[in-house]
Amino acid sequence: MTNGDDDAEPDETDGASGEGEELGVEDFEARLDEAEDTLDAAETEADLDAVEETLSAIEDDLADADLPEPDEDEDDPQEALEDRLSDLRDGVDEQRGPYVEDVAEQIETAAGTVSETRWTDDGEEEVIAAVEAFGEAVAEHVDVNGAGDVQAASEALTAASNVVADLDLDPDDDSEAIASLLDAAETLADDIEAAEAFDDLSVRAKLRYEGFYEVIEGEHRKDFPPELNAVLSWEHRYKQSRDPDDIEQILLALDLMDSEFMEENILDAFERVGPPEAFDPVHQRAQRRDKQAIRALGKIGDERAVETLADFLDGDPALQRVTLRALGEIGSTEATQAVANCLADDNDSVRSSAARSLGLIGDTRAIDPLADVLADDDADDARASAAWALNQIGTERAKEIAAEYADDRAYVVQVEAEKAAGV
C-alpha cells in the first residue's frame, strides 16, 4: 500500500533503508508509526500483505542497525523497537480473516466435544437442539442433516465441517458470509458448552444418575450415611450373585467420593468379598504401601500384585507382616523366594508370618528352609508356624519333618507336629 499520491516518487526509506544509510532510533520509530497508520487503514488481505512486507523490511534493517548501547539505568531502545514490531505483527494477524478454514475448524472442534463428552439425558437433548439450530443458521451454505442422537449429531457436524472447508468464499469479497458462518459456529460452541454433561453434576447427583442409591430405596436405616448403606447393600448382593455390576457400583463410589471414611469402608468391603473387578484401584492404592489395600489385594488374589508386594518385604515389620499374609493368600509360587528370604529376618513375628505365608503358597521348594526354621529358630512361635506351614504343604516328606517334633519342648510346636503325625 502507498501513502500519498500514486504518482509521487517513492521514498527510499519507506519500507527499507537507503543503501549505506545509518538508521537511528528515531528513523525506526517513524517507520513503525507509518506502518501502524497503514495497518489502521487496511481493508483487504492485499493491504495486510503490504503491511507485512513493510514490517519484514523494518525487521531486517533493525537486525543490521548499529544502535547506541543504553546507559545502565536506561531501557534498551532496540528491545523496545522489537517489541513494537512484534505488536504490529500481532495486529496484522488479528485483522486477517475470518476464513472458511477457521469456521471449519471450530465446527470440527464442536463435533469432537459432542462425541467425547458424556452427556446426561437432558444434556443430550440440549446438544441435539444446538446442532439443529446451527443447521438452520447455516442452511444457505451447508445442509446439516438432522440428528437423532449425540453420535449422529457429531457425525453431522464433521460432515458440515468438511463442506464448509471446501466452500469457495473469498475473505474480502465474501467477508459477510464468512462472518455469518463463524457467528453460527461460535453460537454452536456456546450452546454445547452450556449443555449438561455428566461431569457437571454433583457427586451425589452422579451417583443417583448411575442408580447407586436404587439398592436402598424404601429402606430407612439411619445408623449409616446413605452412601455407606448403599455400599453395604451392593456388597451383600455381590456375595449372593457375584455379579460384576454390583461391584461396579461400589467402584463408582470409590472413584467419585473424596472421603477417607468412605474409602476405608469400601476397602473393608473389598477385603471381605475379594472382587477381581476391584483389582486396579486397589492395586493403585497398595502401591502407596496402604496396609488396608494390601490386605484387600490378598483377598482378591490376583497374581499381578506379586511384583508390587515383593518390594514391601523389608523395613517396617507391620508392613512386612501384612504383605506376607497377602502374598500367601494370593498363593503364587513367584513369591516363594522373596517370602523365604524373610525367614532370616531379625523380627520374630516377621519370621513367623513368612513361614505361614509359605504354607499358604504351598510350594515344595519351601520345605527345606521351613525345616531349618523348625530346627534352629530361637522363637517358638516362628517354629510353630514352620510346622503349620509344612502341614499345609502336605507332602509326605513335609509331614514327616513336622511330625518329628511331636515331643517338642514347646507346646505350640507339639500341637502342629501332632497334626502332621495324625495324633
Side-chain angles (χ1 to χ4, degrees):
M1 295 180 65
T2 59
N3 295 275
D5 193 281
D6 290 342
D7 296 328
E9 291 295 323
D11 185 347
E12 289 186 354
T13 63
D14 183 16
S17 65
E19 185 174 348
E21 181 180 358
E22 285 293 332
L23 297 175
V25 174
E26 292 183 355
D27 297 314
F28 282 108
E29 288 178 342
R31 292 172 67 186
L32 289 171
D33 288 341
E34 185 176 355
E36 184 173 1
D37 291 340
T38 306
L39 175 59
D40 291 339
E43 296 181 351
T44 67
E45 291 290 314
D47 294 340
L48 294 172
D49 290 341
V51 175
E52 193 79 60
E53 292 179 6
T54 297
L55 294 177
S56 295
I58 296 173
E59 183 177 38
D60 291 342
D61 289 343
L62 185 57
D64 295 335
D66 186 18
L67 299 180
E69 292 291 329
D71 293 335
E72 187 173 332
D73 57 346
E74 292 181 347
D75 294 333
D76 185 348
Q78 178 148 351
E79 187 175 306
L81 292 169
E82 290 172 348
D83 288 343
R84 190 176 173 196
L85 184 63
S86 177
D87 290 342
L88 287 172
R89 286 195 182 281
D90 290 341
V92 171
D93 291 338
E94 290 172 6
Q95 284 192 219
R96 288 193 182 278
Y99 307 105
V100 288
E101 292 84 357
D102 299 330
V103 181
E105 181 178 352
Q106 188 144 2
I107 299 172
E108 182 58 34
T109 298
T113 301
V114 170
S115 65
E116 294 167 9
T117 302
R118 183 181 178 190
W119 306 100
T120 64
D121 291 341
D122 289 343
E124 286 191 10
E125 293 180 2
E126 292 164 353
V127 167
I128 292 170
V131 174
E132 290 175 348
F134 172 73
E136 293 174 3
V138 299
E140 181 181 349
H141 301 283
V142 56
D143 180 20
V144 181
N145 293 326
D149 55 41
V150 290
Q151 182 60 36
S154 175
E155 292 171 359
L157 290 177
T158 297
S161 172
N162 294 332
V163 172
V164 169
D166 291 337
L167 290 176
D168 185 18
L169 296 178
D170 183 86
D172 292 328
D173 298 337
D174 303 303
S175 59
E176 290 186 7
I178 296 174
S180 175
L181 286 168
L182 184 60
D183 182 62
E186 290 173 347
T187 299
L188 170 69
D190 291 341
D191 289 345
I192 291 174
E193 176 66 25
E196 185 179 64
F198 182 76
D199 286 343
D200 296 332
L201 301 176
S202 67
V203 169
R204 281 197 169 179
K206 289 178 180 177
L207 290 171
R208 188 173 296 107
Y209 187 83
E210 294 287 11
F212 175 74
Y213 297 104
E214 291 177 2
V215 74
I216 57 171
E217 285 181 357
E219 296 185 10
H220 299 284
R221 296 169 57 189
K222 297 183 179 180
D223 47 343
F224 298 130
E227 289 76 23
L228 181 52
N229 277 334
V231 166
L232 295 174
S233 295
W234 287 116
E235 177 194 347
H236 179 69
R237 283 179 51 154
Y238 181 76
K239 285 180 182 177
Q240 296 178 320
S241 67
R242 309 306 288 187
D243 185 345
D245 289 343
D246 297 334
I247 291 300
E248 288 301 323
Q249 290 288 352
I250 301 177
L251 289 172
L252 179 68
L254 180 64
D255 179 54
L256 294 178
M257 299 193 69
D258 185 16
S259 164
E260 290 184 8
F261 170 79
M262 284 302 300
E263 180 169 326
E264 289 174 5
N265 280 279
I266 289 171
L267 289 175
D268 280 344
F270 290 159
E271 189 176 348
R272 287 189 292 267
V273 296
E277 299 83 4
F279 173 78
D280 286 336
V282 174
H283 182 238
Q284 182 181 19
R285 287 163 172 78
Q287 288 174 317
R288 302 195 290 262
R289 300 190 174 219
D290 182 300
K291 296 184 182 68
Q292 189 180 23
I294 292 171
R295 289 196 299 270
L297 276 184
K299 299 299 183 183
I300 291 171
D302 193 314
E303 293 188 4
R304 289 177 293 171
V306 170
E307 184 176 355
T308 297
L309 297 180
D311 289 339
F312 302 161
L313 292 178
D314 56 2
D316 174 26
L319 177 64
Q320 287 177 281
R321 290 193 296 270
V322 170
T323 303
L324 286 165
R325 176 69 184 184
L327 285 170
E329 290 176 327
I330 291 171
S332 171
T333 57
E334 292 182 10
T336 299
Q337 186 60 58
V339 173
N341 292 342
C342 292
L343 294 174
D345 196 272
D346 293 338
N347 187 285
D348 297 354
S349 64
V350 171
R351 298 199 301 276
S352 179
S353 295
R356 288 187 171 271
S357 180
L358 289 170
L360 291 172
I361 293 171
D363 191 339
T364 56
R365 292 178 298 169
I367 293 175
D368 287 339
L370 287 169
D372 291 342
V373 171
L374 188 52
D376 302 327
D377 201 291
D378 294 333
D380 289 338
D381 284 345
R383 296 176 61 237
S385 293
W388 177 90
L390 289 167
N391 259 325
Q392 289 295 118
I393 292 173
T395 64
E396 183 177 351
R397 177 168 177 260
K399 285 181 172 290
E400 287 176 353
I401 293 172
E404 293 175 4
Y405 293 84
D407 295 326
D408 194 81
R409 70 182 190 285
Y411 175 73
V412 290
V413 176
Q414 285 182 33
V415 171
E416 299 300 335
E418 288 173 354
K419 292 177 183 176
V423 177

